[in-house]
Amino acid sequence: MLSSSCSHSLAQRPILAPSSISRKLKVRISNRRASFPSPSGTHPIFDSSCKSSKKRLEISCFRKEDSSSEAHESDNIERFPHEELVKHELDKSSKVKVNWKLSLREAKDAVFRAIGSRWTVPWKAETILQVMLLWMASFWFIGSWVIPFAAHVAGFNKESLTLRGQAFFSLVTDITEGLAGIAIIHRCLTHFRPLPSDWFRFSLRGNWILDVAIGCLMFPFVNRLSQFNLNLLPRLPSAPITQSSVEQSIMARDPVAMALYAIVVSVCAPVWEEIVFRGFLLPSLTKYMPVWCAILMSSIAFALAHFNVQRMLPLIFLGVVMGVIFARSRNLLPSMLLHSLWNGFVFFDLMK
């Protein structure tokens, strides 16, 4: 019964086609979608909120950009004076260094100009060595053999002489040694004559008196340097302490002997020593080295020629002073005068 009624009711209802069913479903779905706001932003509320948020982002971005640009400008403003200050200080220090170097170079050039230029040397190193070796050999041979032998032939003995005799003996020995040295220089340089005009020049002309006066002001310093040399290299305890003939004549207060020794130390020795060391050796060395180096080397040779280690430093310094005076004036007379005054200063110092 039930089945028949059900089948009867189903048979009375119209059968829907599939297209109509799908059409109805689409309508329902579209109606449901219309009831919700579309996510594409077509709804006015959503659109306004998106626009406002975009404006906020743009405003905040602009504010950040403005603040960052302002901060960058402030950093540049703060950094700019500091960098300029550092750059100014660096430029200033570099200028000071350049000025210091220039001033030092100018001072050096002024000193070299004051000392003078090199000599024109026509001979070579072999001639320089020949002259100096022959001079040293003649100095030793005359003082140790020739004059003592001549005195022995004449019937004199140096040890038995009086103080005046010993002073005269020293005067003859010194004059002979000086003449031998001058003869050696003259003979060795014969092949190079005529010499240039600034070789072995003696003249009263020139502004060299002030240089000699300044050199005399250095005598107390040379004396202190001599004392320093004695403290640095004292005499050996085993070495006997003896008095020279000069000191003996000073102790005896013999006027004739003292006058003869004054001639030896203040006239003879300065003349021939300056001719050898300042007149020949110093200018000859300028062929191979600067003038200041030639002054130093000739001063060392001058000190070594005295055979006294306890007086090396003051003799080197004194040789440098006399070398500078000679190089400035190209005149042997000023260095001879200064040498004579120094020996006289030492001689009168011994008389105290």
Side-chain angles (χ1 to χ4, degrees):
M1 246 342 257
L2 183 60
S3 61
S4 62
S5 63
C6 287
S7 59
H8 178 71
S9 60
L10 288 171
Q12 288 180 354
R13 289 184 182 183
I15 299 171
L16 296 176
S19 59
S20 62
I21 294 171
S22 61
R23 202 178 293 119
K24 288 180 180 181
L25 288 173
K26 286 181 181 180
V27 171
R28 289 178 183 176
I29 291 169
S30 62
N31 292 332
R32 287 181 182 178
R33 286 181 180 175
S35 63
F36 293 100
S38 62
S40 60
T42 56
H43 197 275
I45 298 173
F46 184 81
D47 191 15
S48 62
S49 64
C50 287
K51 289 181 180 180
S52 62
S53 62
K54 285 183 180 179
K55 287 181 180 180
R56 288 196 203 98
L57 287 172
E58 290 176 358
I59 292 169
S60 64
C61 289
F62 287 140
R63 286 179 180 175
K64 287 180 180 178
E65 288 178 359
D66 294 339
S67 62
S68 63
S69 62
E70 290 175 0
H72 184 66
E73 289 178 359
S74 64
D75 290 341
N76 288 336
I77 292 170
E78 291 177 357
R79 195 183 299 114
F80 183 74
H82 180 69
E83 291 178 354
E84 286 293 324
L85 183 61
V86 171
K87 186 177 179 181
H88 179 69
E89 291 295 330
L90 290 174
D91 293 339
K92 189 176 179 181
S93 62
S94 63
K95 287 180 181 179
V96 169
K97 288 181 181 178
V98 171
N99 293 332
W100 180 78
K101 289 180 180 179
L102 288 175
S103 61
L104 186 62
R105 188 178 300 171
E106 290 175 357
K108 182 184 71 173
D109 294 339
V111 170
F112 287 162
R113 284 196 302 269
I115 291 175
S117 58
R118 297 184 180 188
W119 277 259
T120 302
V121 184
W123 49 83
K124 296 182 180 180
E126 291 81 2
T127 304
I128 302 173
L129 189 62
Q130 180 186 12
V131 170
M132 297 308 297
L133 289 177
L134 287 174
W135 171 79
M136 286 190 293
S138 67
F139 181 82
W140 172 80
F141 186 68
I142 290 172
S144 300
W145 292 93
V146 175
I147 300 299
F149 180 74
H152 178 72
V153 171
F156 298 103
N157 189 5
K158 183 181 178 180
E159 283 74 18
S160 62
L161 294 175
T162 61
L163 292 176
R164 295 182 180 183
Q166 291 181 2
F168 184 75
F169 185 88
S170 297
L171 178 62
V172 172
T173 303
D174 206 87
I175 291 175
T176 308
E177 290 172 346
L179 291 175
I182 295 171
I184 289 170
I185 294 174
H186 184 272
R187 180 68 182 85
C188 293
L189 302 184
T190 302
H191 303 290
F192 304 99
R193 295 183 182 278
L195 297 176
S197 59
D198 55 351
W199 279 89
F200 303 106
R201 191 166 69 90
F202 297 86
S203 177
L204 293 172
R205 297 178 180 179
N207 299 322
W208 48 265
I209 297 177
L210 180 61
D211 293 343
V212 174
I214 294 173
C216 291
L217 294 177
M218 296 184 182
F219 286 171
F221 176 75
V222 179
N223 208 8
R224 292 287 183 89
L225 194 60
S226 179
Q227 188 62 41
F228 173 76
N229 200 162
L230 286 173
N231 295 332
L232 188 65
L233 296 171
R235 295 178 183 272
L236 297 175
S238 59
I241 300 175
T242 58
Q243 285 185 338
S244 64
S245 57
V246 179
E247 293 173 341
Q248 289 176 4
S249 64
I250 291 174
M251 292 292 293
R253 297 293 176 181
D254 189 332
V256 177
M258 291 171 64
L260 292 174
Y261 280 122
I263 294 173
V264 171
V265 300
S266 299
V267 179
C268 297
V271 169
W272 67 262
E273 287 180 1
E274 291 304 308
I275 290 174
V276 172
F277 292 102
R278 252 65 66 181
F280 171 74
L281 182 60
L282 193 157
S284 299
L285 292 176
T286 60
K287 186 181 180 70
Y288 302 100
M289 59 187 71
V291 177
W292 66 268
C293 192
I295 291 172
L296 181 61
M297 295 301 294
S298 62
S299 301
I300 294 173
F302 170 73
L304 291 173
H306 286 77
F307 302 102
N308 193 339
V309 181
Q310 281 78 24
R311 297 175 61 193
M312 282 289 294
L313 293 180
L315 288 174
I316 291 173
F317 181 79
L318 189 66
V320 169
V321 174
M322 293 186 293
V324 170
I325 291 175
F326 170 69
R328 280 172 53 83
S329 62
R330 302 297 174 102
N331 188 359
L332 279 170
L333 191 59
S335 60
M336 286 181 179
L337 179 59
L338 184 63
H339 195 159
S340 176
L341 291 173
W342 166 251
N343 286 357
F345 174 79
V346 174
F347 184 78
F348 286 108
D349 188 61
L350 292 173
M351 294 175 62
K352 293 180 180 179

